[in-house]
Amino acid sequence: MSRLIVVSNRVADLTKSVQSGGLAVALADALREHRGIWFGWDGTVVSDAAPIGINLTQQHHVRTATVPLTQRDYDEYYVGFSNNVLWPSFHYRLDLGIIDAKSIDGYRRVNQRFAKALSALLEPDDVIWVHDYHLIPLAAELRALGMRQNIGFFLHIPFPPPDIFLAVPEPEWLARAMFSYDVIGFQTRTDTANFRRYMIEHNGATEIGAHQIAAFGRTTTVRDFPIGIDVDAFHEMAHTPKAVEQIERLNRRSMVSSQIVGVDRLDYSKGLPDRLRAFRLLLELYPENRKAVTLMQISPPTREDVAAYSEIRKELEGLSGAINGEFGDFDWTPVRYIHRAVPRDTLAALFRGSQVGLVTPLRDGMNLVAKEYVAAQDADDPGVLVLSRFAGAAEDLEEAILVNPYDNQEVAQSLQRALTMRQGERRERHKALIARVRQHDVRNWRETFLEALRTAGRENESAV
Ligand code: GDG
């Protein structure tokens, strides 16, 4: 059996339960099964002059190979190109992109350095699975070093329509680099269609069958692999005696009849200011919710070195303070905003104890929170998911109440509908949703991708 090599910008710290979500656990399981190695950045930043070596260790029976970034790498590759150019533009936010020639050079340089370090660890029949937008050119750099293994790429974030992709610096270079992979996986059919359209209209690509595209002298599998969660593990986490006690304690203390829950990294793609404006409108349009409903918003900090993130934090604090000042009372805080990470089992309990799950990103690759909220519910008396139609998850989760996250009025009305929905309809919707969440769970995602990767690439053997 060939070894699996997983490459991602950050190697998850599997010893920290707060951070390691289902995805890290799922990849770690696959690595254990396939005697694999997880390669990536260790999260440290060293001075530009420091010597850079690979650190080989073992965490929870998973072998990891990590490297630090220098300050310059961090500024140019991580903050500069990955998070100031690719993240905003792939989320359709060209207005937030900061294009700087130095950062693309840094992006290339770090991908070259990763490829060089990784190539020293590779065996000829390894299969290599590269994750996310930080590492688009990695396979091209590995090929330049003579590596011929099957290499797959999965993009966790959206792929934008051609006109937006064309506004990223050097789009053709990025697209050509993608064709060094044997499999290119996207979250949704929409992302796949955007990529195909860009390739056909701008690079003369041709379609070969349902899932293959030929371009730049290579043929590559291009398709959607919707990511999911470990449904049973999350459901169980929401039903432990500790979770039951947490829910009861919360209910005793909060005194409200209903809770709406939102959980998102504090990121401008998650639509948080609009979510708060919609909640405010709910209190204005339907005053019976005053003193009866609370919005619990958990938003751990993320990428605080990127300027747009400190702005979103200020905006959110201003909005929640204003709502609490205007509507709150001695015995009722309308918005409970928590700006730190909470343990995963507390999240599961919160989801189960909340009558509405509010997930309203302006754009999102998939959104696992939506799936976790569904998994945590009791089938007999489930809560209602209100979901942005611009989350990848909406392509599948049709039985949620789908909303336009930019339209505060529509979201407020949908919240009211969710809060007043009868048990029969809630059960029916939940039954359909949980079946879909189960169908595309994390195991299915992982195994489908790995199967495509193992069987791909043969047609290119002469083209490498
Ligand atoms: C990217 C794409 C895609 C959140 N707060 C806490 C916490 N979380 C957990 C959630 C969930 C995960 O983090 C977030 O996943 P999402 O999918 O919602 O969003 P991104 O972080 O933006 O992830 C996204 C995903 O990659 C996978 O491909 O779905 O579209 O943007 O599991 O529960 N976990 C803990 N404490 C927190 O405070 N423990």
Side-chain angles (χ1 to χ4, degrees), residues 18 23 87 156-157 187 227 263 265 270 298 300 340-344 347 364-369 372:
V18 167
L23 179 58
W87 176 274
H156 288 258
I157 65 175
Q187 296 273 24
I227 199 168
V263 174
R265 286 181 304 99
K270 301 292 183 184
I298 305 207
R340 58 172 189 277
V342 303
R344 200 160 166 73
L347 277 191
D364 215 331
M366 178 55 65
N367 197 295
L368 295 179
V369 168
E372 289 164 354

Side-chain angles (χ1 to χ4, degrees), residues 17-18 20-23 229 234 237 342-349 372:
S17 69
V18 167
S20 344
L23 179 58
I229 61 164
F234 204 83
M237 217 190 292
V342 303
R344 200 160 166 73
D345 57 350
T346 305
L347 277 191
E372 289 164 354

Side-chain angles (χ1 to χ4, degrees), residues 314-332:
K314 267 189 248 144
E315 191 178 2
L316 209 60
E317 283 170 357
L319 276 165
S320 58
I323 296 171
N324 286 342
E326 186 177 343
F327 293 93
D329 216 326
F330 300 112
D331 53 356
W332 177 54

